[in-house]
Every structure is written in structure tokens, then in C-alpha cells.
Amino acid sequence: MPGKIAAVFGNMVTVELEQEVTQNSVAYCCRADGRRLISEVIRVRGSQADLQVFEETRGLRIGDRVEFTDEMLSVVLGPGLLGQVYDGLQNPLSKVALQEGYFLTEGVYVHALPTDIEWDFTPAVEVGQEVTAGDTLGTVPEGIITHQIMVPFHLRKKLTVEKIAPAGKYTVEKEIAVLKDESGQEISVTMEQRWPVKVPLNISEERLLPTEPLVTKIRIIDTMFPIVKGGTYCIPGPFGAGKTVLQQLTSRHADVDIVIVAACGERAGEVVETLRRFPELIDPRTGKTLMDRTIIVCNTSAMPVAAREASVYTAVTLAEYYRQMALDVLLLADSTSRWAQAMREVSGRLEEIPGEEAFPAYLESRIAGFYERAGVVRLKDGRIGSVTIGGTVSPAGGNFEEPVTQGTLKVVGAFHGLSRERSNARRYPSIDPLDSWSKYTGIIEPKKVAEVHNILRRGNDVKQMMTVVGEEGTPIEDFTIYLKSEFFDNVYLQQNAFDEVDGATEADRQRFVFDKCLEIIRLDFEFESKDQARQVMFYITDLFRNWNYAPMDSDEFKKILAEIDEIIATKGKLVKEALVK
Amino acid sequence: MRKFFDDITAITGNVVKVRATGVAYDELAAITTNRQTSLAQVIRLEGDEVSLQVFAGTQGVSTGDKVRFFGKPMQVPFTENLMGRIFDGAGRPRDGKPEITDDPIPIGTPPINPTRRLLPSKMVRTGIPMIDVFNSLVESQKLPIFSVPGEPYNELLARIGLQAESDVIILGGMGMRHDDYLTFRNAFEAGGVLGRTIMFIHTASEPVVECLMVPDLCTTVGESFALQGKRVLVLLTDMTAFADALKEIAIIMEQIPSNRGYPGDLYTQLARRYEKAVDLDGAGSMTILAVTTMPGDDVTHPVPDNTGYITEGQFYLRGGWIEPFGSLSRLKQQVNDKTRDDHRAIMDACIQLYAGARESREKKAMGFEPSQWDLKLLKYGELFEKRIMDLAVNIPLEKALDECWEILAECFEPHETGIRRAIIEKHWPKKLNDKSQQSQTVTTDAKD
Ligand SMILES: Nc1ncnc2c1ncn2[C@@H]1O[C@H](COP(=O)(O)OP(=O)(O)O)[C@@H](O)[C@H]1O
Ligand SMILES: [Mg+2]
């Protein structure tokens, strides 16, 4: 017996129950015109259940029928996920568009995987073999990767292979194996399986400490505030500071196998940028397009709020699935604040006791639970896979002293704080080099990083002092430190995202250029006046900046390098002389 | 399907509760008092109790008044006949001409499928260098003007609106003063666009709730024209009035406020309207320009703050000009690589140097002796403000770029600008450069 709608308020529906229900199970609100709106049970009290509806509730009436299922909100896993653009509930948007045209009509649900593609299956087990959850039954090539078809993850008991399909072409819905459990029951297995999005998916021997640097080719990140495979990091910043651009750059250049972009409650236009550009950009790692290694999960700000909450879980589950294949997966969530706000909206309608800024009291534990799903694991066969999570945070008023930023900072391994001051001055990427931190070790020796960090800090102190005592009251030694910190900021920390060469710096080049910068920083130029010091440092800054635009090992690169070396060898003698003229 | 109910159980603020059955969420209703009939919208259903947000307010509503439900959500007619017409916030004619009832469509359509959107690619030229050079406006962009009350924001909105090429202009006024309405009318008349303009005007003297419908009316009509292949420009002023109306309803509904009394879903509510801006694959486009007045010039106030997180940048109007800091067009990079090869370099360099000029100005104000470098920056700052930032400047992009080069050359040595060599070699004003070298030789000669 289904239930009946007793109340509607925003995306919350209260249902008068006529049967048992399971918390977090999926239900459908049946609108008078026949549309069924997918919902989730989020509270049960007595004979009533509260549902959050993942669609607009317009048109629902008191007394409308509600049908319940036993399944929790789940995603479909199998070959064909790569390159897809999904909404927060894993509806493939291109297919939806074919069916519905321009609009995302309510109550339209489409199978997440292409059901017409025949995949080239190669079995990996034999009849009689013992297997269990996560073991590979066979493989199919999925674009750039070898996709493992695994024993369904919920089958945690010992199983025996009763039947295995011979090599050949199969669609995801075709049976490829039959497994028998200890009680003799037979289980039919296809290439697709389902998994509830709010339950972490991790079938492995052990979790390892994440240590291998994840190279983003963004210098300030890789050198100063590194991230690692299996680690977590966050990018808080006021609007317009560059969070999304930073994530877009990372999604392009990051040295990982698969990137999952979770566009959560932000602009549709930003998703369009990725989905229109990626199919044309070649990934140097694979020679295929970037789209071939990317999955977009988008629930943009105009799409229903409850589905926004679900979308980050959908995305992280897809990431975990590919980790089970020993791949390195990067999940970029933009913005986790919108996800938190979706929780706040639901919590408000449930009339729960609010915490700070009306966020629910469980906000922090939800944030922690989400980032906890990142990690490096050693799989049962000894191979290693990882999920790295990077989330942007959009604090109200750009003030980091707010619940989502604070809750996130407690659990992540690196903090890339964007500053309004830097973005206003077009110092991109606007990661604040003094506020930000990382607990990980990157591609440059920590001692050297600490040395420039120190220069940056002292340079900033001098700058502050100068606002009090003026330039004339500043000793030339201090002034030089300030100039050197500005030099490093200008030529190394800042990076022109729109330049073919400067936009992405390989690890090798970073090490090389960093060492040259350090030589300049360590050099005693024996300046005679502040004006001379400024002029010389300007000149060197200009030189390095042009160096950044030259492809590594090009003639231009070598030419500028020779000039830099000459400056270092002579303490800038020629520059000084040229400037006098 | 008409139904009457008259068991009104509560009247608070602009919300009325009535016992009724068979009512759908978000449905439209009419409530008739002995003075007038007002439209109302269903905002909550609880058993047989229906909460209605009454557009005209609840003044004069009595417990015996009749409520009629329409069995459908709020609608707006969609026809070519809308052109040249003026309506109020409830969609009634306010120009004395007959009501239009053709082809009604429900307002607040579902979101557009992202895969059917195009990458914005057409620059809108405004003749304002602070926009064209530094923050290019792009067709289908959603962009607010953040303004301190008292700035000429409506004039700027009208000016940009007239410069932009469009097939249809839709003006949405919220809490508008009659003078402002006339400003737009006159500007549109002078620009000869009145015949393809549609206005939905809610004035400050009308019930607050009535302004809540204005953005939806505008974008629903606009979207329908865009689907027909038209290029639509929607102008909204003032979105802060819209947000304040949302706040009022939320408080009456006893929702827990999240920030300075505004409801937790302010972001979502604003985003649902702004996200209607679109360049449709295989059809037209809709660009949305809006005014957001900032109470107390505070950009962290929840309305500008949430807006900034939603829109594709903002023009920050202050002290009579568009501020270089804080102003942003997030779509500029989609177009400014196709204009001229020095566009991006000028854009970055001029602003970085202007930031320096402001710092030097501060130093000077504090009484410090300016260095050689400070003096250069100070000179630059002055020239830049006079010849580029001033809103009276009205020149095409290419002219503005040339002007920027002139100013740079008057103030700096090429390597001091931070512009890469290849671009400098191509664009650094030749004559001026020669002249400065000449004058240098002259002075050395004189010393000798
Ligand atoms: N690394 C960068 N290089 C150049 N411009 C940038 C960079 N990062 C951001 N910007 C500029 O700032 C704008 C806003 O950046 P975005 O990432 O969308 O901000 P956020 O997501 O923090 O609101 C971009 O549209 C671009 O014009
Ligand atoms: Mg962003």
C-alpha cells in the first residue's frame, strides 16, 4: 500500500504512511498528470514520513499517491560512464535533451549507461573459481582505460563462479556470469551494478598514507602548497577570486587517470565551458581528448536543490568505483558551500534546531564524512588506487570565519585560500601565499620551500612597515628583501592561465625555474640605491616572465637562461650599467 | 475548474491561510475583498490548510472573503502584441490599453538542459572603455550593476541597454520610482526602441509582494522569444527590492533566517532567475543586466554577496565611475582573444599599474616622499582616470586600446609595464618612444 501526501512546503513533502518505510529509501510522488517525482525519505515520525523531493513540487496536491521502494538513492556503475554529463541523480543530460528538448522537465529519468553499446568482454575467471565482492570477473576496454567488471560490491560472502561468458560482445544488461553463494543460491551478474551513493564504496586490503604528489602544473600549488594522490584540499574564496578557473585548470592538467567534475549549485555556463571544450582538447597523457577521461556531474544553481545535495555523493561514488580499478581519480567539487546550503534548506524545512548561520548541527560531520571518502587504498590484488578530493568553498561575504570553511579546514590536508586583494590586483592564481598551507610534501625539497616562504613573509612585513615609515625610512637590505619577494611572486607564484606555455608548468621545469629563482633570491646584488635596486629587480622580473612564456628548451628559453646565468655570475653588473645609460 | 472557499483561518503579514481541498502547490488564486480582487499564490499545503501569499497585501482582507483557485500556476501571455506594452507586477496593463489574453504560458519554466547551451561568444560593444577593454560584456551574460544608492545606475543600465544589439528589450522594474520609470521611457524613446520594448513595472508605492513576480514575468517572456530565435535583453532594476520582498515573506512564514534576516534559500531564489540568461543551441539568446543597490556600500551585504556568486561578474559603480577593482566580467576571456592581440596584455597591465598608482597615492596622502617609481605611477593614475575611466568617455574598443598604449608610453619604460616583449615590440607607440629618447639626448646634451 502506498502513502498519501499530507503536506507540501517547498521541496518537502509529508506523507501519511500506509506501509512500512525505510529511512533514506527512494519514493515517488505521483502528480495528477502522471509524472512521478523522485524523492528520498529523510525522516519518519509515527505514521508520517518526510520526503525531500528531487524535483520542483509545483502541481502536487494533498492526497496524491506516493510509492515507496526498498532501495536507497543509488547510482549505476559499469562501462560507459566516462565522457558522460550527468545531472545530480545520474541522468545523462545529452540523452535527456534528445528526448525532451531544451528543458529539464520534471519526472524524466533515463538509464545512466548506454544500453546499446556492445562492449568487448574478456573473461578473467574460470568456472569453479572462488570469488567475492570486488573481484574481477572480466574486462572491457572503455576508451583510455581497461574497465574491470567486478563481482557486485554488496556480495560480501564467498561465491563460486557457476558460469562465465566467453570472450565476445555484450551490452551492459546482458548476463556475463552466474555466481553461486554458499547456500546454493544462484546470482546472475551483468556488467552494471548499483550502489547507494551515501555509503562509501571501498573494498580494499588497507588504506595507505597519501604521499605521492599530484602534479597540477600550477606552480604555486605544486611547489608551495602541494596536494597528493588520495589527499584532500579546499579552495575557499570570495566570489570572483578564481576558484572555478583554478578547478578548471586542474581538471585539464592534473596528472591523474580520471577527473570527475562535480558542478554543484553553481553556474550552468561553467559546465558548458567544460563540456564544449574538453571534447576538442587533447590530453597529452593519452593522446585522446580530455573528455575521454572526464565525467561531469552537474546540478547547477537553477536545478532542484535536493538533487544538489545528492550530486556530490553521486560524484564521489563514481570516483570510488574507478578507484576499485586501481586508477588515480580526482574529484573536483564546485562548490561545497552550495551543497551545505542545500542541507540547510532541508534542515530548515524539517524545523531542526539550527546551528551557526542556520546551518544544521551535523554540518561538520557531513563535511568530514564527505572528505573521508578520499584516500589511497591497496586493493586485494596489491594494486593501488586513489581518490583525491578538492572542494571549493564560497563563504558568505568572503569571510573565512564561517561554518562551512571552518568545518572544512578541520578535515582537509591542504588549504588554498584565495584573496580578494590578490585577485583585484590581477595576481592570479590568487592563492594567498601567506595564509595558505599544506600538510603534504610536494615536488620541491621542503627546506627550500621554507626558505622562499620566509622571504615572502619578510617581504610582506617590510611592505607593511613601509606604509608606516615610508620608503625613505626603510633600510636598503629590507627594501631588497621586499623586492625579492615581489620578484618571486611575480615570476613564480603568478601564472598566466591563458598562455599556452605559462598556463601549465611540468614538474621538471618547476624544479629548474625554482632553483634559478632561489639563486636570484640568495644573491647579494650590492645595490647602491633603492632606485637602482628596483630597476634591476624590475629588469630581472621582466626577463623571468618572458622566460615563462618560452617553451622549455626552445632557443628563446636557452637565450634567456644564458642571460639569467650571466646576471647571477656578475651580480647584475651589466644590468646596472645599462640602466645608468 | 473554478472553486470557491471562504473559510479563512489566519491573516498575517501578506499571508492568508484558508481551508480548501484539491489545491495544487504553487497554484494561483484570487482573493476578493469588498475593495478589490488580488492574485495570490499557494506557498504551503498542510492537510486542508492552504497558505497563500497575497500579491496586493492583506490589508482589508476579512475572514469571510472568498478565495478562488485557478487550478494552474501564474501565467503570462506570450505574443508579438506584447511589444510596446507596459504591465504591472501582476501582469495587468498599466498603459490603459486592453488586457492581452492570448497564448498564456506558465511562468517559471524548468531549467534549460546545460547540453543545449552554447558557449557565449559574441561581444557586446558599449563604447565604455571600462567595459569593452577591461570587462567585456558578452551576449547571454548575466551581469548586475552593483551600486551605491544615488549613483546613476539606471542611466548606465539604459545606456548599455541601448548600445547592445537586440531584437527585444524587456524592462523589469521592482520598487521603482516614477522618475526612474520616466528615465527609461525617455531613453528608449530617444533610442527608437520603444516599439520592441516590453515593460513590467512595479513601483515603490505598490504592494511589496507584487514585485516578486517581475523577474519571472520578464524571463519567461524573454525565454519564449529566445526559443523563437530572438536576441533578448532583459533589464532588471532593482534586484535588492526583490530580495527584500523575499525576506518579508520568509519572516512571515517563520523560516529561520540565515544572514541578516534573509532566508537561507536567497541564493537559490536569485540563481533561478539569473540562470535564465542563455545562448541557446539552435535558437536565440537572453542577456540579463540587473541593478543591485548595495545598502551602505557594503558588498558583503547578503544581496550583492549572493548575487556575485551567481552572476557572471559585476560592474561596480561608485564615485561616478566603474571601479576597476571589484568589477569583473567572467565571460571576457571568451571574447577578448578574438578582438586584438594586445587586448589581454593591456587589460592586465593597465589594471596592475593602476593598483600601484592607488598605493602610491596612499603613501603620498600619508606624507611620505614619493620615489621615482611612485611619481611615474601617480602620473599614470591621473591620466588613466581622465582618459579611460571617466564615464563620459565614449570610444570604440580599438581606440581605447590605442589610448591605453599612449598613456603607458607617456609614463613608463616598456619593461616596467610587465607586458611581454613580443607585444611591446608590436604596439609600443613608436613616435612617442623616439621623442622620449630624443628628449633624453637633448637633456644630456644640455648638461654637457
Ligand atoms: N588564473 C587566472 N588567470 C586569469 N584570470 C583569472 C584567473 N582566475 C580567475 N580569473 C578571472 O576571474 C574571473 C572569476 O574567476 P572564477 O574562477 O570564476 O571565480 P570564482 O569561482 O572564485 O567566483 C574569471 O572569469 C577570470 O576573468
Ligand atoms: Mg566559481
Side-chain angles (χ1 to χ4, degrees):
Chain A
M1 278 283 279
K4 285 206 171 83
I5 291 181
V8 185
F9 181 36
N11 69 340
M12 277 267 313
V13 162
T14 305
V15 183
E16 194 59 46
L17 296 172
E18 293 163 25
Q19 66 170 49
E20 290 165 8
V21 293
T22 315
Q23 170 74 333
N24 293 122
S25 62
V26 169
Y28 291 90
C29 295
C30 304
R31 213 165 63 181
D33 64 357
R35 295 272 182 184
R36 298 163 79 243
L37 309 184
I38 188 167
S39 325
E40 179 187 17
V41 178
I42 53 172
R43 184 167 68 186
V44 183
R45 287 186 301 186
S47 67
Q48 290 197 327
D50 294 315
L51 272 53
Q52 62 170 342
V53 185
F54 294 114
E55 304 270 16
E56 294 305 324
T57 49
R58 174 187 273 194
L60 288 178
R61 290 167 212 265
I62 301 297
D64 279 351
R65 209 178 129 85
V66 178
E67 291 165 4
F68 293 92
T69 71
D70 316 325
E71 198 191 41
M72 293 202 282
L73 191 69
S74 300
V75 286
V76 178
L77 303 170
L81 292 167
L82 292 181
Q84 293 269 10
V85 183
Y86 290 119
D87 73 3
L89 303 176
Q90 213 197 6
N91 290 295
L93 290 178
S94 311
K95 262 203 189 144
V96 171
L98 283 181
Q99 197 179 310
E100 299 289 319
Y102 284 112
F103 291 106
L104 293 173
T105 330
E106 307 96 73
V108 174
Y109 311 115
V110 177
H111 195 292
L113 295 177
T115 48
D116 50 345
I117 294 182
E118 296 199 312
W119 300 96
D120 211 345
F121 178 76
T122 309
V125 291
E126 277 160 21
V127 172
Q129 200 169 322
E130 268 192 9
V131 290
T132 183
D135 287 353
T136 305
L137 294 171
T139 59
V140 301
E142 182 191 11
I144 53 167
I145 64 154
T146 300
H147 192 115
Q148 289 165 228
I149 308 300
M150 293 171 272
V151 175
F153 303 121
H154 66 276
L155 301 175
R156 297 296 172 99
K157 297 196 195 107
K158 251 191 217 153
L159 303 155
T160 319
V161 178
E162 273 290 294
K163 260 196 248 168
I164 181 77
K169 292 194 178 274
Y170 305 89
T171 64
V172 286
E173 291 171 322
K174 278 265 170 63
E175 178 180 277
I176 51 102
V178 175
L179 308 176
K180 199 159 83 177
D181 69 13
E182 282 168 324
S183 68
Q185 202 189 335
E186 292 196 345
I187 303 151
S188 167
V189 176
T190 64
M191 285 198 250
E192 63 174 34
Q193 55 169 313
R194 299 175 69 82
W195 186 262
V197 294
K198 291 191 181 162
V199 180
L201 169 56
N202 175 10
I203 297 173
S204 61
E205 281 300 299
E206 61 171 335
R207 272 182 80 143
L208 306 171
L209 195 67
T211 53
E212 190 191 336
L214 192 164
V215 176
T216 63
K217 301 185 189 144
I218 298 166
R219 294 189 290 261
I220 186 169
I221 295 179
D222 297 341
T223 298
M224 305 295 293
F225 311 108
I227 56 176
V228 290
K229 289 178 179 167
T232 55
Y233 69 105
C234 70
I235 311 173
F239 64 78
K243 300 180 292 295
T244 304
V245 170
L246 206 52
Q247 285 216 334
Q248 284 172 341
L249 292 171
T250 310
S251 68
R252 263 183 208 198
H253 302 303
D255 192 9
V256 291
D257 299 308
I258 288 169
V259 175
I260 302 194
V261 174
C264 174
E266 299 258 319
R267 302 173 190 85
E270 292 165 349
V271 179
V272 177
E273 222 178 307
T274 307
L275 75 87
R276 296 263 171 193
R277 289 250 157 88
F278 274 27
E280 289 158 14
L281 293 171
I282 299 299
D283 179 4
R285 285 165 49 93
T286 61
K288 298 273 176 57
T289 80
L290 274 176
M291 204 61 208
D292 290 326
R293 72 160 194 179
T294 308
I295 304 173
I296 300 174
V297 177
C298 70
N299 199 265
T300 59
S301 55
M303 287 155 81
V305 171
R308 188 196 295 171
E309 200 253 343
S311 68
V312 300
Y313 293 110
T314 296
V316 74
T317 310
L318 298 181
E320 288 166 334
Y321 177 59
Y322 281 99
R323 177 172 64 187
Q324 290 299 135
M325 297 174 209
L327 296 169
D328 291 321
V329 189
L330 172 62
L331 167 62
L332 297 168
D334 185 15
S335 152
T336 61
S337 292
R338 306 299 161 218
W339 165 62
Q341 283 177 351
M343 279 192 260
R344 175 168 73 184
E345 282 185 37
V346 172
S347 167
R349 297 219 171 83
L350 287 174
E351 291 170 3
E352 292 171 339
I353 298 165
E356 218 182 318
E357 288 182 28
F359 282 106
Y362 46 79
L363 175 72
E364 283 201 0
S365 63
R366 291 279 169 89
I367 293 174
F370 169 64
Y371 281 103
E372 210 29 45
R373 292 177 73 165
V376 199
V377 299
R378 190 161 58 82
L379 301 169
K380 283 187 289 188
D381 58 10
R383 294 180 307 159
I384 309 278
S386 71
V387 168
T388 311
I389 300 182
T392 67
V393 187
S394 317
N399 179 1
F400 293 174
E401 298 301 318
E402 58 90 45
V404 184
T405 313
Q406 291 305 315
T408 307
L409 284 180
K410 280 184 195 162
V411 295
V412 292
F415 160 56
H416 300 159
L418 303 194
S419 111
R420 165 68 77 220
E421 237 172 52
R422 287 181 73 83
S423 70
N424 273 352
R426 305 290 193 273
R427 292 179 175 227
Y428 293 119
S430 63
I431 296 175
D432 190 319
L434 299 177
D435 273 0
S436 303
W437 47 258
S438 169
K439 295 176 182 167
Y440 307 119
T441 302
I443 56 170
I444 307 253
E445 218 182 298
K447 246 175 62 189
K448 290 189 198 164
V449 175
E451 189 178 340
V452 292
H453 217 260
N454 187 34
I455 288 287
L456 290 171
R457 199 173 301 280
R458 284 169 62 199
N460 185 58
D461 290 347
V462 174
K463 191 180 173 189
Q464 300 300 328
M465 270 310 285
M466 280 199 293
T467 64
V468 183
V469 301
E471 204 175 294
E472 60 288 20
T474 307
I476 193 162
E477 296 74 30
D478 285 357
F479 189 67
T480 308
I481 286 171
Y482 162 69
L483 288 176
K484 284 177 174 174
S485 76
E486 281 289 292
F487 154 78
F488 185 74
D489 189 340
N490 273 298
V491 308
Y492 199 86
L493 299 184
Q494 293 171 44
Q495 200 169 347
N496 185 343
F498 300 115
D499 184 81
E500 193 72 21
V501 178
D502 194 32
T505 312
E506 302 282 346
D508 284 348
R509 182 168 179 158
Q510 287 191 43
R511 291 191 196 95
F512 188 72
V513 174
F514 183 87
D515 283 345
K516 282 290 162 218
C517 289
L518 204 53
E519 284 185 61
I520 294 285
I521 288 171
R522 287 173 179 166
L523 197 65
D524 180 3
F525 282 93
E526 297 163 3
F527 290 129
E528 283 146 24
S529 71
K530 284 178 205 155
D531 267 331
Q532 187 196 47
R534 176 170 15 234
Q535 300 250 25
V536 171
M537 288 311 291
F538 268 23
Y539 183 88
I540 297 174
T541 302
D542 191 49
L543 197 60
F544 269 75
R545 211 187 264 129
N546 281 289
W547 200 32
N548 285 339
Y549 292 131
M552 184 112 170
D553 296 326
S554 64
D555 288 346
E556 175 77 359
F557 184 92
K558 286 178 196 149
K559 204 178 110 206
I560 298 178
L561 175 59
E563 197 180 338
I564 290 170
D565 283 337
E566 203 267 347
I567 288 174
I568 293 169
T570 65
K571 299 184 177 175
K573 185 158 159 272
L574 284 185
V575 185
K576 287 181 203 166
E577 283 169 12
L579 289 172
V580 173
K581 275 188 217 147
Chain B
M1 187 182 65
R2 291 191 167 183
K3 302 177 200 161
F4 291 91
F5 297 94
D6 57 8
D7 189 1
I8 291 180
T9 55
I11 308 170
T12 26
N14 293 314
V15 176
V16 158
K17 287 186 180 176
V18 58
R19 287 198 191 285
T21 51
V23 175
Y25 189 72
D26 211 27
E27 184 173 332
L28 192 68
I31 180 160
T32 307
T33 70
N34 53 20
R35 286 193 306 135
Q36 58 174 2
T37 295
S38 166
L39 292 178
Q41 191 179 15
V42 175
I43 55 172
R44 185 169 193 158
L45 296 172
E46 255 185 309
D48 60 358
E49 193 171 69
V50 179
S51 299
L52 289 168
Q53 164 181 305
V54 184
F55 294 167
T58 55
Q59 238 179 15
V61 174
S62 90
T63 49
D65 285 342
K66 277 200 171 119
V67 179
R68 190 179 99 211
F69 290 93
F70 291 92
K72 59 193 179 203
M74 175 98 174
Q75 293 184 320
V76 60
F78 171 63
T79 126
E80 292 280 333
N81 297 335
L82 289 172
M83 302 276 201
R85 295 292 309 269
I86 306 168
F87 304 90
D88 70 6
R92 291 172 301 232
R94 73 179 315 148
D95 52 6
K97 294 184 198 159
E99 197 163 336
I100 300 179
T101 49
D102 333 358
D103 307 315
I105 47 171
I107 66 166
T109 47
I112 297 281
N113 188 322
T115 61
R116 299 303 306 268
R117 285 173 181 259
L118 288 179
L119 266 183
S121 60
K122 288 157 241 149
M123 179 174 159
V124 177
R125 285 164 176 265
T126 67
I128 303 171
M130 288 315 287
I131 296 177
D132 294 357
V133 178
F134 298 98
N135 283 302
S136 318
L137 182 65
V138 184
E139 191 175 314
S140 88
Q141 191 158 14
K142 43 183 178 285
L143 198 101
I145 298 169
F146 284 179
S147 174
V148 185
E151 295 283 334
Y153 49 82
N154 280 333
E155 284 79 357
L156 181 63
L157 190 65
R159 179 173 165 192
I160 302 171
L162 283 173
Q163 296 269 6
E165 281 174 58
S166 60
D167 303 318
V168 184
I169 298 177
I170 303 177
L171 174 68
M174 288 152 279
M176 215 183 208
R177 291 179 316 146
H178 197 72
D179 295 359
D180 293 324
Y181 161 63
L182 291 178
T183 306
F184 279 103
R185 230 202 91 91
N186 294 344
F188 289 166
E189 195 154 32
V193 298
L194 219 49
R196 51 184 173 90
T197 300
I198 306 165
M199 301 193 205
F200 294 93
I201 306 289
H202 164 266
T203 63
S205 58
E206 287 159 337
V208 174
V209 187
E210 269 189 20
C211 92
L212 280 176
M213 287 298 138
V214 170
D216 286 339
L217 289 167
C218 295
T219 55
T220 304
V221 170
E223 185 174 74
S224 300
F225 278 117
L227 284 165
Q228 290 188 343
K230 298 236 161 57
R231 285 182 303 170
V232 181
L233 175 67
V234 174
L235 307 174
L236 300 171
T237 174
D238 167 357
M239 287 300 278
T240 304
F242 169 77
D244 285 342
L246 283 177
K247 173 163 96 172
E248 199 174 308
I249 292 294
I251 290 170
I252 295 162
M253 293 303 285
E254 294 174 356
Q255 280 173 313
I256 304 152
S258 68
N259 199 342
R260 291 196 235 180
Y262 288 90
D265 67 350
L266 178 64
Y267 173 85
T268 305
Q269 294 291 354
L270 289 172
R272 280 195 7 212
R273 274 85 192 180
Y274 279 116
E275 280 282 312
K276 287 286 175 195
V278 67
D279 198 344
L280 290 167
D281 195 351
S285 72
M286 177 153 65
T287 309
I288 301 181
L289 293 176
V291 164
T292 299
T293 52
M294 294 186 293
D297 192 16
D298 176 10
V299 75
T300 68
H301 180 280
V303 179
D305 187 51
N306 277 288
T307 303
Y309 275 117
I310 293 161
T311 51
E312 285 152 341
Q314 64 279 335
F315 295 151
Y316 196 150
L317 190 61
R318 187 195 211 171
W321 56 41
I322 297 174
E323 265 284 320
F325 311 115
S327 292
L328 170 72
S329 164
R330 293 167 188 264
L331 300 187
K332 60 176 182 268
Q333 55 263 31
Q334 315 282 6
V335 294
N336 64 13
D337 56 341
K338 299 174 202 84
T339 48
R340 226 169 76 173
D341 62 347
D342 56 334
H343 188 161
R344 285 181 173 176
I346 283 288
M347 172 182 87
D348 289 333
C350 284
I351 296 298
Q352 281 185 348
L353 290 167
Y354 185 69
R358 287 236 174 138
E359 274 180 27
S360 298
R361 215 174 267 177
E362 266 170 43
K363 277 196 238 167
K364 200 178 147 198
M366 291 181 67
F368 295 124
E369 184 69 27
S371 66
Q372 287 301 316
W373 177 239
D374 286 326
L375 290 175
K376 286 184 175 188
L377 286 171
L378 287 169
K379 177 176 172 196
Y380 166 78
E382 225 166 89
L383 295 183
F384 186 70
E385 283 173 0
K386 205 164 77 200
R387 283 152 58 177
I388 299 292
M389 280 174 64
D390 195 327
L391 267 186
V393 177
N394 188 349
I395 46 175
L397 167 74
E398 290 72 15
K399 266 241 164 75
L401 290 173
D402 292 344
E403 189 67 21
C404 288
W405 281 113
E406 293 292 337
I407 296 173
L408 290 177
E410 283 173 45
C411 302
F412 302 108
E413 293 302 316
H415 75 266
E416 291 172 336
T417 60
I419 299 174
R420 68 163 88 176
R421 285 175 189 174
I423 303 267
I424 291 267
E425 274 158 26
K426 198 163 156 204
H427 292 277
W428 193 259
K430 289 278 170 337
K431 263 187 257 148
L432 247 160
N433 205 13
D434 293 347
K435 231 192 278 166
S436 71
Q437 274 171 7
Q438 265 173 19
S439 63
Q440 259 179 11
T441 15
V442 171
T443 40
T444 28
D445 284 352
K447 259 187 222 159
D448 289 346

